[in-house]
Amino acid sequence: MELVIENLTKTFKDTTAVNNISCTLSTGVYGLLGVNGAGKTTLMRMLCTLLKPTAGRITWNGADIFTMDADYRKLLGYLPQDFGFYPNFSVEDYLMYIASIKGLRPATARQRVNTLLKQVGLDPVRSRKMRKLSGGMKRRAGIAQALLNHPRILILDEPTAGLDPNERIRFRNLISEISEDRLVLLSTHIVSDIEYIASEILLMKDGAFLHTGTQTEILADIPETVWSCVVPKEQAADLLRRYKVANIRSTPEGTAMRILSKTPPVMSSIREKATLEDIFLSYFGERTGETNDSDDIL
Amino acid sequence: MTQMIYYEIKKIFSQHSAKLALLLLCVTLGVTTFLTVHSVSWIDEQGEKTAGPSAAQKLRAARKEWAGYVDEDVIRRVIEENARVNATPEAQSSNVVQQEIAFSKKQGFYDIRMMIARSFSGFRELDYYLPDSLTPEDASRFYPNRMAQLTEWLDGEAKDTFSESEREWIIQKYQELPTPLWYDYAEGWLNLQTYSATIIMISLLILVFPIAGIFSGEAAQKADAIFFSTYHGRRRAVLAKLCAGFLVITGTYWTMMLIYTAVTLGLLGTDGADCLIAVFRWKTLYELTNGQAYALIVLGGYLGCLFMLLLAMLVSAKTKSTAFAVTIPFFLMFAPGFLSGSHNAMLTKLIGLLPDQLLQMNTVFSLFSLYRVGTHICRSAPLLFAIYPAACILLLPLIYRVFRRTQVA
Ligand SMILES: Nc1ncnc2c1ncn2[C@@H]1O[C@H](COP(=O)(O)OP(=O)(O)OP(=O)(O)O)[C@@H](O)[C@H]1O
Ligand SMILES: [Mg+2]
């Protein structure tokens, strides 16, 4: 079971969204981490045969996925980032319809829909119209449809966007539950999502992978060191300008800062253990201001 | 597969616009049927006018007296009877009611009187009052007139329009018409023929709204990413959409026409199905009975609707724009109107083969345009019935291919 991406490139008119990416994915949960516009969605669309690559190829167990066509899609579950429903379908109808185009037999589909409605907690609203669902409920319906066909390959594009913290935890647990013996690729710019569940992390920036590896590998390879220090207020402003600052907080003793730097920013700096958030800042530092969930990062 | 088609149809009709369309179709059906049935009128002995089914019943009784072969003897009797009514004080009176009373006595032989008017008027004119000036001796010229006027027209006004072989072909068609013609009361069929184009065209223009969204709706609702990433997404699910479109078009159209036809014939009578249309359109090149002609009108309407709606579906699949797709039938229906002012012979012939003609086969049966296919000469109706089924059959795989290759960017 191997999904191999070779020199994959996708160019839109003037932007290269995915730039010569290569990697091999097998069973496990992969966290695709990157800021807005990194090319996550474009990569995933190609993995779902929705977009033809400009160059390069994707193979599943050696066969080109675009040649496999339906045989490949049979293995696929996809939750798009920004997706719509048939607004006047009930949740149940919606899932039954998707089950039918996924090739499930009606009787199997009925059972599967019942199971999934319970699993994602939508059973009480099964006959409610899709357009009347809350954002979180819609996303759960989206996850349910992705799982209908017991996909071997599950691709989730920012599945936790718009979920409240409770939902987000529920969702993480759900993914952990189902991730056994599957390939799960999920994209996010929310670090905590993958901190708990991803076995491998793919750091993506400007259409390319900056770094890939397990959390431990990535943490060990951090290009900078994490320091903490307490400095007088006047000095803090200066440090903010010169360094990537992961955290800043006023204390009675002065301003406590968490700083990423190759060398100690001030004499009294203490070396800290790096977390995934520090990694994010280290790689995507300059652009943290652009991300939606900046409160999660800083 | 049936499951998929079921949900596709459900998708179509779950939209408010589709529900509104269904409502409008029902209104159209009701109004057109009412107008069709009420276009039959009867004037009683007091000169009072009534319309609708009861009028049709009286008219039917009056016309039945004249049903049968329209031979020289019948023509003579009509000319005599017509003259007799004209001589009555009511007909001589300048009072409108009196004149209506006089007219009421002509209702039974009105159709045959019109045949006489057409036979004795010039080829491209109709003088309604002409029968009033005929004498019984003129009856013998009734059938020969048809050919005489044709040849006069072919030698004169239409001299440059037809080639020698076309000319012979037309003359032969005229000779083939079996005379004497059989006449019967036929208000049911005649009114169906006249008004069916209205119901066909309006249905098409309403139906395009739900149909145009079948393919573009996926992108519009942002449901395309999931749709195309599924097992059947680029195969059977597309086919299901195509089937759903076809079923909705076919189902709606035939339901409308069936109800329309059944109610109209039920109220106006089915008599006259076997009369040739030449009885009512003296100059036609088509040797068809009323029933056959109406069947072709309805079938043509179906083909025209199917073709235009499939084309709208293709545009919808290709451009992902419902709005653009909706304009297709409007364009195909109204654009030829702007061209028809032209005197270019080629262009006129081309216009005769455009799909809007299928929506109004009734007028096609009165046309004189001829086409050459190889060495064959043919009229437009057979050509239309050859071209458009083929076009529809070609459109189906085209729509399928275009849509299944959609990229979701
Ligand atoms: N259909 C398209 N046409 C042109 N450019 C596009 C298209 N889709 C994406 N792009 C461009 O490709 C780049 C990558 O976009 P993509 O949506 O893949 O990023 P992303 O990592 O998913 O971002 P986000 O976190 O905001 O979802 C962006 O610069 C974007 O503007
Ligand atoms: Mg994205």
Side-chain angles (χ1 to χ4, degrees):
Chain A
M1 239 182 63
E2 223 180 30
L3 190 62
V4 180
I5 301 172
E6 292 170 59
N7 307 104
L8 198 66
T9 299
K10 179 72 200 182
T11 314
F12 295 109
K13 273 183 203 100
D14 45 358
T15 39
T16 302
V18 170
N19 191 358
N20 201 21
I21 277 181
S22 298
C23 74
T24 301
L25 310 177
S26 52
T27 326
V29 180
Y30 292 82
L32 182 58
L33 200 56
V35 292
N36 292 132
K40 305 182 292 291
T41 298
T42 308
L43 171 63
M44 289 181 148
R45 287 201 168 142
M46 287 191 282
L47 289 174
C48 293
T49 67
L50 293 172
L51 262 183
K52 286 239 165 76
T54 313
R57 58 184 218 137
I58 307 167
T59 57
W60 171 253
N61 293 341
D64 189 288
I65 63 167
F66 288 93
T67 313
M68 285 178 75
D69 205 49
D71 290 335
Y72 171 73
R73 284 194 294 274
K74 194 174 190 150
L75 311 167
L76 195 65
Y78 176 45
L79 172 68
Q81 175 177 7
D82 178 20
F83 65 109
F85 303 102
Y86 312 107
N88 295 308
F89 269 26
S90 68
V91 180
E92 195 174 356
D93 271 346
Y94 174 70
L95 290 176
M96 285 300 289
Y97 170 65
I98 300 293
S100 76
I101 63 175
K102 286 196 169 198
L104 270 67
R105 266 187 262 281
T108 325
R110 172 93 26 220
Q111 273 183 1
R112 191 72 190 127
V113 166
N114 286 335
T115 315
L116 280 167
L117 280 173
K118 290 199 184 75
Q119 204 169 351
V120 300
L122 286 179
D123 202 41
V125 294
R126 62 192 299 155
S127 47
R128 195 178 290 181
K129 292 266 197 297
M130 291 300 283
R131 69 185 145 87
K132 292 190 175 154
L133 295 186
S134 75
M137 287 172 170
K138 279 182 188 157
R139 204 150 281 275
R140 281 191 260 165
I143 289 161
Q145 69 73 27
L147 294 173
L148 276 169
N149 56 331
H150 294 287
R152 307 296 305 275
I153 307 165
L154 187 58
I155 296 186
L156 309 168
D157 199 350
E158 301 200 14
T160 57
L163 296 188
D164 67 35
N166 273 332
E167 292 257 13
R168 210 177 274 177
I169 291 165
R170 268 185 67 132
F171 169 77
R172 285 205 295 253
N173 295 340
L174 180 63
I175 296 296
S176 304
E177 241 173 77
I178 59 170
S179 66
E180 204 178 319
D181 204 30
R182 279 177 224 265
L183 191 169
V184 183
L185 176 65
L186 73 111
S187 81
T188 183
H189 32 73
I190 300 170
V191 177
S192 56
D193 277 351
I194 45 180
E195 204 156 23
Y196 297 101
I197 47 171
S199 47
E200 295 252 356
I201 293 168
L202 311 164
L203 290 175
M204 194 170 184
K205 187 178 182 181
D206 297 335
F209 288 152
L210 287 181
H211 207 323
T212 60
T214 61
Q215 286 201 35
T216 345
E217 283 166 2
I218 294 226
L219 289 174
D221 282 354
I222 184 164
E224 290 147 314
T225 311
V226 184
W227 308 94
S228 71
C229 57
V230 179
V231 296
K233 253 201 179 102
E234 310 77 64
Q235 209 186 340
D238 178 51
L239 288 176
L240 262 176
R241 219 176 316 111
R242 286 175 31 219
Y243 294 98
K244 292 175 186 166
V245 177
N247 202 351
I248 180 162
R249 175 168 48 95
S250 294
T251 64
E253 296 82 43
T255 310
M257 301 180 84
R258 187 178 172 93
I259 290 176
L260 271 69
S261 161
K262 291 208 163 64
T263 54
V266 291
M267 291 302 287
S268 60
S269 301
I270 304 163
R271 201 184 253 271
E272 294 280 340
K273 237 180 111 193
T275 65
L276 215 47
E277 285 187 5
D278 300 321
I279 298 283
F280 198 96
L281 180 62
S282 168
Y283 283 106
F284 309 121
E286 299 78 15
R287 306 186 57 180
T288 47
E290 285 176 25
T291 57
N292 296 333
D293 298 76
S294 46
D295 55 340
D296 245 273
I297 298 153
L298 290 179
Chain B
M1 191 72 190
T2 42
Q3 186 91 353
M4 275 186 254
I5 298 173
Y6 165 77
Y7 281 113
E8 281 303 336
I9 294 177
K10 192 162 183 171
K11 245 192 244 176
I12 300 174
F13 287 112
S14 72
Q15 280 160 330
H16 294 301
S17 64
K19 286 182 191 138
L20 184 69
L22 275 188
L23 187 74
L24 285 176
L25 284 173
C26 290
V27 173
T28 307
L29 179 62
V31 171
T32 321
T33 309
F34 181 84
L35 289 178
T36 308
V37 170
H38 283 258
S39 61
V40 177
S41 59
W42 168 257
I43 292 169
D44 63 18
E45 294 84 4
Q46 278 78 46
E48 300 262 356
K49 188 172 168 175
T50 54
S54 61
Q57 244 173 27
K58 296 188 186 102
L59 198 61
R60 180 171 177 273
R63 299 244 164 112
K64 276 291 182 191
E65 289 181 24
W66 293 91
Y69 283 109
V70 184
D71 53 16
E72 221 180 291
D73 184 46
V74 172
I75 298 296
R76 188 176 305 115
R77 275 170 49 217
V78 169
I79 294 175
E80 283 166 0
E81 190 66 13
N82 185 56
R84 198 186 58 73
V85 176
N86 283 346
T88 59
E90 290 91 346
Q92 304 283 330
S93 159
S94 58
N95 181 310
V96 181
V97 179
Q98 294 299 312
Q99 285 181 358
E100 289 287 82
I101 293 173
F103 176 80
S104 76
K105 293 174 186 149
K106 296 187 181 179
Q107 289 176 104
F109 57 84
Y110 176 86
D111 284 335
I112 301 176
R113 188 186 170 282
M114 284 310 290
M115 287 172 85
I116 298 172
R118 292 192 192 96
S119 158
F120 285 85
S121 299
F123 192 74
R124 300 197 64 177
E125 14 189 291
L126 175 61
D127 182 354
Y128 176 81
Y129 295 102
L130 201 140
D132 297 345
S133 59
L134 294 178
T135 61
E137 290 74 62
D138 291 320
S140 61
R141 276 165 49 211
F142 178 73
Y143 284 111
N145 268 344
R146 190 164 174 267
M147 184 63 81
Q149 271 151 14
L150 173 74
T151 43
E152 190 187 320
W153 179 67
L154 286 174
D155 292 338
E157 201 186 328
K159 203 168 167 45
D160 304 323
T161 315
F162 301 104
S163 68
E164 191 53 38
S165 53
E166 285 171 338
R167 200 188 124 92
E168 274 165 26
W169 190 90
I170 295 174
I171 290 174
Q172 200 200 332
K173 278 287 159 213
Y174 263 50
Q175 281 166 344
E176 277 168 11
L177 187 77
T179 54
L181 292 164
W182 173 270
Y183 169 75
D184 197 351
Y185 162 85
E187 285 304 307
W189 296 103
L190 292 179
N191 285 296
L192 280 177
Q193 287 171 19
T194 311
Y195 290 95
S196 51
T198 314
I199 195 167
I200 291 171
M201 287 182 188
I202 297 179
S203 304
L204 168 64
L205 295 185
I206 295 173
L207 208 49
V208 70
F209 285 90
I211 294 294
I214 294 181
F215 289 100
S216 48
E218 296 295 329
Q221 290 168 331
K222 289 190 174 173
D224 51 350
I226 290 174
F227 182 87
F228 286 113
S229 67
T230 60
Y231 181 49
H232 288 310
R234 291 189 189 275
R235 320 187 304 179
R236 270 192 229 174
V238 182
L239 219 53
K241 278 182 177 299
L242 214 47
C243 288
F246 180 78
L247 287 176
V248 169
I249 297 168
T250 307
T252 320
Y253 181 86
W254 288 105
T255 309
M256 295 272 292
M257 293 316 280
L258 208 68
I259 297 176
Y260 175 62
T261 308
V263 172
T264 307
L265 289 181
L267 294 175
L268 299 183
T270 55
D271 320 59
D274 294 332
C275 285
L276 289 180
I277 59 171
V279 170
F280 308 94
R281 318 157 187 247
W282 188 240
K283 284 147 203 155
T284 185
L285 279 177
Y286 293 87
E287 191 187 319
L288 295 169
T289 65
N290 274 327
Q292 289 167 340
Y294 182 64
L296 287 178
I297 288 170
V298 176
L299 197 63
Y302 173 64
L303 261 182
C305 287
L306 186 63
F307 174 77
M308 292 193 194
L309 291 172
L310 285 178
L311 205 61
M313 280 159 79
L314 178 66
V315 170
S316 162
K318 182 87 193 166
T319 64
K320 301 186 188 177
S321 160
T322 310
F324 188 29
V326 162
T327 62
I328 297 295
F330 285 86
F331 177 79
L332 288 177
M333 265 177 63
F334 297 118
F338 293 106
L339 296 175
S340 62
S342 147
H343 292 291
N344 184 317
M346 276 296 289
L347 197 60
T348 312
K349 283 196 174 191
L350 183 74
I351 289 171
L353 293 181
L354 291 179
D356 65 307
Q357 296 295 310
L358 281 167
L359 306 176
Q360 39 187 341
M361 287 307 289
N362 189 41
T363 59
V364 172
F365 294 142
S366 307
L367 293 181
F368 253 76
S369 38
L370 294 182
Y371 299 84
R372 302 199 129 240
V373 179
T375 55
H376 271 280
I377 294 172
C378 50
R379 294 156 290 183
S380 48
L383 268 185
L384 287 166
F385 278 102
I387 295 171
Y388 288 97
C392 289
I393 289 170
L394 284 178
L395 274 173
L396 292 170
L398 197 61
I399 299 169
Y400 176 73
R401 280 170 56 136
V402 163
F403 194 63
R404 73 186 295 263
R405 290 179 184 177
T406 305
Q407 299 279 297
V408 184

